Amino acid sequence: MAALETARARGLVGGVLVVVRAKDHELRQSLQPGVDRVVRPAGSAPALSDSLRAGIAALASRDTPVVPAVLICLADQPGLRPDVIAALVNDWRSGKGLVLRPRYADQPDEPGHPLLLDRSAWPMVETLQGDVGLGAALKGGDQPVHYVEVAGGNPDIDRPGDLVAVQNRPG
């Protein structure tokens, strides 16, 4: 959240919206004031695509201000950096693409996050089903992806051991 707050202070993002599960009461209460929340209805098998659709639907329903793009950030990547957000937003504002994602120098073969999605590309989210993100729609989709070259990496933190490894990494 710190990187998003920095990006908001720099005028790179207009707000922060977090999609949470219905049962995540502790998470909802821990979010800072000014962070919008979308509570995803409880389901038998919560899926990533459900969260993406809920978030996009909440943003699409806003009349004022109209949201021109969304920066999709993953909760399991706490290494989000303001410089990466700035690079994505600046390239989008320069008209370099409608779908933008970073390509990290330390992880050139992995899809980079966060992903910036212009409002005109939001309909692709509706095509998602199950526990998949936008990667599936982007592989065979109509929207070309503009890659923004950035230094370093942004590892997933899926298990406690992943966090320990990142914290113990030199540099």
Side-chain angles (χ1 to χ4, degrees), residues 17-25 28 37-58:
L17 180 137
V18 177
V19 179
V20 296
R21 293 184 187 119
K23 295 181 181 180
D24 286 340
H25 303 292
R28 287 197 317 246
R37 298 154 183 85
V38 172
V39 178
R40 196 180 72 202
S44 59
L48 179 57
S49 63
D50 297 331
S51 294
L52 287 166
R53 281 194 310 278
I56 293 293

Side-chain angles (χ1 to χ4, degrees), residues 65-83:
V66 172
V67 179
V70 63
L71 188 68
I72 299 171
C73 305
L74 305 178
D76 67 350
Q77 293 187 330
L80 180 64
R81 302 186 332 239
D83 65 301

Side-chain angles (χ1 to χ4, degrees), residues 3 29 42 54 61 65 68 70 76 142-143 165:
Q29 291 174 347
S61 68
V70 63
D76 67 350
D142 298 332
Q143 292 291 344

Side-chain angles (χ1 to χ4, degrees), residues 81 84 87-88 91 101-105 108 146-151:
R81 302 186 332 239
V84 174
L88 291 168
D91 276 13
R101 72 184 330 161
R103 185 176 0 241
Y104 291 92
H146 170 73
Y147 289 94
V148 179
E149 305 295 330
V150 295

Side-chain angles (χ1 to χ4, degrees), residues 92-135:
W92 172 74
R93 287 179 176 164
S94 298
K96 294 185 179 175
L98 301 176
V99 178
L100 300 93
R101 72 184 330 161
R103 185 176 0 241
Y104 291 92
D106 293 352
Q107 302 164 293
D109 297 328
E110 295 179 30
H113 290 91
L115 184 122
L116 191 146
L117 194 61
D118 185 89
R119 187 181 189 101
S120 64
W122 291 5
M124 78 171 62
V125 173
E126 290 302 317
T127 68
L128 302 176
Q129 295 294 319
D131 202 26
V132 298
L134 279 164

